Amino acid sequence: MILCAEYCITGDGKTVLKGQAALLDEEGKIRELGPREEILSRFPEEPVKDMGEATMLPGLCDMHVHLGYWFSQPDGFNYNEYLKAAFAIQHAQAAFERGITSVRDMTSERKLCATLKLAEEKGFLVLPRITHVDNGICMTGGHGHGEVAEVDGPWEIRKEIRRQIRDGAEWVKVLTTHRTHTPEFTQEELNTAVEECHRRGVKCGVHAGTQPGIQMSIDAGFDTIEHGTFMTVEQARQMAENGQAWTPTILAYTYLYEVCKKALEESAGKPAGDPTMQTELKNYEYFEPAYKAYRDHFKELYDTGVTVLAGTDMVVCGSPLLPLDQELGYMVKYGLTPVQAIQTATENPAKVLGVEQQRGLLKEGLDADILVVGGDLSQDITRLQDVRLVLLGGKTVYEDGVRYVGTSRMVM
Ligand SMILES: [Zn+2]
């Protein structure tokens, strides 16, 4: 099958080509990428799908998701194992209409993502490519307690990591800050977590948004810093030097800021001691400076050369599922070009996940995970809202408003 589109963004952060065609093979790989006329004349027998005035690019990767995050649902009592699985499946499949073909799950319930992948391997489900942690790890009473594993001290941390790897964890996630400037894990505990992961050949990310938790996490050697909300330029430089990547999750914090701002406006007139008012005020006190930190510093942090990863991290009940187009939209709003923003969801994730030989670019020999959007995306990031076609390993999973997740329908 030959796929053509007027514009082509290869995903490397700079290359935009015109009038290209991609020849896809039976194995779901990109066999050739080249000038349209040349490809058409060399392979005259091949069926052609011409997308016209549109942009083709690699399928996107959302590097911070929680597919099984049911905790914020108001009817949590209904969420037995079956409903949790159904919830996670619809969440994962929502990826396709966003042009997302890969996700990194940064905490769902124990064994949930590993089981989803098993179901996919058995052919029960069509899902995006999932890389996942098992369950987050925090200290007793730390951020996320009740939803993630609570452990203290180096040996408990090692044991939890060993258990998770035994149960199929492909990454490990540690949480060490929560809206205050008191770090949760000690330096010794953070160092141990990284050491145990790396000893086993597993990468690890850390939820760290405030100081000195961010610095402690950089020093410990985590592969990715999640949020890094109040990161300094000097810290971003250190990360660039150490080869550590940053998942800012700009949208999540901006969204939460807007939610509590609205709630505060709506509760105007309530007595100051009203408990909902108190909670919203406390939220506002954190999320307002958080959103401003991204708005005012994202570009200078990016300019240090630190590897930036696009992640959505939307867990609030009623928030949109995997709105990666909005995360990239904020990056552009704060100073990146659309082509640079796209790289944070294509080449950069593939490198950090260690799958750059399989995907992340539109390139010969790589998997045909391809997104086509209407118009010229290199000039207008909002074109991401106009998803026309999504291929996963050469198979159509979404086209013109319809998801193809029940069968493994081949293109053409
Ligand atoms: Zn998260």
Side-chain angles (χ1 to χ4, degrees):
M1 207 271 284
I2 296 173
L3 181 68
C4 315
E6 184 59 31
Y7 309 98
C8 171
I9 296 178
T10 63
D12 65 358
K14 40 186 192 284
T15 310
V16 184
L17 304 167
K18 282 186 102 179
Q20 297 288 295
L23 174 70
L24 314 181
D25 67 18
E26 300 284 297
E27 275 91 62
K29 307 244 181 243
I30 302 168
R31 199 159 95 211
E32 303 242 359
L33 180 72
R36 185 192 142 95
E37 299 315 321
E38 189 197 312
I39 299 279
L40 290 178
S41 67
R42 281 178 50 216
F43 303 95
E45 303 294 304
E46 283 287 332
V48 178
K49 194 172 180 79
D50 192 341
M51 303 300 292
E53 180 68 16
T55 305
M56 64 175 165
L57 67 156
L60 304 177
C61 177
D62 188 332
M63 283 293 275
H64 193 126
V65 308
H66 300 282
L67 299 177
Y69 195 93
W70 58 276
F71 301 98
S72 63
Q73 300 301 309
D75 62 337
F77 55 84
N78 278 323
Y79 281 73
N80 60 22
E81 305 307 301
Y82 311 111
L83 195 58
K84 285 175 195 170
F87 178 87
I89 292 163
Q90 59 87 34
H91 196 158
Q93 290 180 337
F96 297 137
E97 59 219 57
R98 308 275 189 193
I100 296 166
T101 49
S102 308
V103 298
R104 182 182 62 158
D105 189 292
M106 290 303 273
T107 292
S108 284
E109 291 235 342
R110 288 189 174 188
K111 295 193 183 176
L112 177 55
C113 286
T115 308
L116 288 184
K117 286 184 74 160
L118 185 60
E120 195 273 338
E121 276 164 32
K122 285 177 180 290
F124 298 169
L125 295 169
V126 178
L127 297 173
R129 302 180 196 276
I130 300 173
T131 303
H132 63 92
V133 311
D134 183 37
N135 190 217
I137 299 174
C138 76
M139 70 167 196
T140 296
H143 183 30
H145 71 274
E147 299 166 11
V148 302
E150 285 175 86
V151 290
D152 303 287
W155 282 105
E156 274 190 31
I157 289 172
R158 282 192 201 273
K159 187 162 187 189
E160 177 61 23
I161 290 170
R162 290 170 188 182
R163 186 199 64 72
Q164 295 193 0
I165 294 172
R166 179 197 68 195
D167 290 345
E170 300 162 319
W171 270 68
V172 164
K173 160 96 173 282
V174 170
L175 298 95
T176 193
T177 68
H178 185 51
R179 300 195 203 170
T180 73
H181 290 283
T182 311
E184 296 186 342
F185 280 122
T186 64
Q187 190 68 57
E188 183 193 19
E189 289 171 314
L190 295 173
N191 292 350
T192 303
V194 175
E195 202 258 339
E196 185 64 27
C197 289
H198 288 175
R199 203 171 69 78
R200 304 292 300 279
V202 169
K203 286 187 171 183
C204 46
V206 59
H207 173 120
T210 53
Q211 308 292 358
I214 295 173
Q215 187 63 50
M216 290 168 74
S217 299
I218 294 170
D219 293 343
F222 280 93
D223 299 284
T224 64
I225 306 280
E226 305 304 303
H227 319 299
T229 312
F230 296 101
M231 187 187 291
T232 66
V233 170
E234 179 47 35
Q235 286 171 332
R237 259 189 222 117
Q238 287 173 25
M239 287 176 65
E241 227 162 78
N242 301 343
Q244 293 164 302
W246 174 38
T247 319
T249 66
I250 306 168
L251 164 68
Y253 284 80
T254 309
Y255 183 85
L256 288 166
Y257 158 73
E258 281 162 1
V259 165
C260 59
K261 185 165 165 248
K262 191 160 168 259
L264 269 185
E265 283 163 8
E266 281 168 3
S267 56
K270 279 195 185 160
D274 184 277
T276 31
M277 188 92 167
Q278 289 298 312
T279 312
E280 292 306 340
L281 257 177
K282 207 161 162 262
N283 287 342
Y284 190 83
E285 276 165 18
Y286 186 74
F287 290 118
E288 196 216 15
Y291 130 79
K292 285 185 173 164
Y294 290 115
R295 184 194 65 186
D296 300 340
H297 302 294
F298 176 70
K299 181 62 165 46
E300 54 179 343
L301 294 168
Y302 175 89
D303 285 342
T304 63
V306 63
T307 298
V308 173
L309 304 169
T312 54
D313 194 24
M314 296 298 267
V315 294
V316 186
C317 180
S319 62
L321 300 177
L322 313 173
L324 199 60
D325 58 310
Q326 292 185 44
E327 179 69 9
L328 301 183
Y330 276 114
M331 291 186 190
V332 170
K333 188 173 175 190
Y334 297 156
L336 269 54
T337 66
V339 176
Q340 287 171 327
I342 294 292
Q343 187 189 19
T344 71
T346 52
E347 185 183 36
N348 291 356
K351 282 186 172 166
V352 170
L353 296 174
V355 294
E356 66 270 34
Q357 301 303 322
Q358 286 97 58
R359 48 191 173 268
L361 292 174
L362 276 191
K363 190 179 153 190
E364 287 167 15
L366 300 199
D367 290 335
D369 290 5
I370 299 177
L371 161 62
V372 180
V373 300
D376 183 0
L377 178 62
S378 72
Q379 299 303 312
D380 178 7
I381 196 72
T382 69
R383 300 313 311 158
L384 280 177
Q385 290 157 21
D386 182 14
V387 174
R388 301 269 173 93
L389 176 72
V390 182
L391 305 182
L392 178 67
K395 292 174 184 163
T396 304
V397 286
Y398 181 84
E399 185 171 16
D400 293 333
V402 181
R403 276 188 212 166
Y404 295 95
V405 294
T407 63
S408 26
R409 189 179 83 120
M410 285 298 290
V411 173
M412 306 302 283

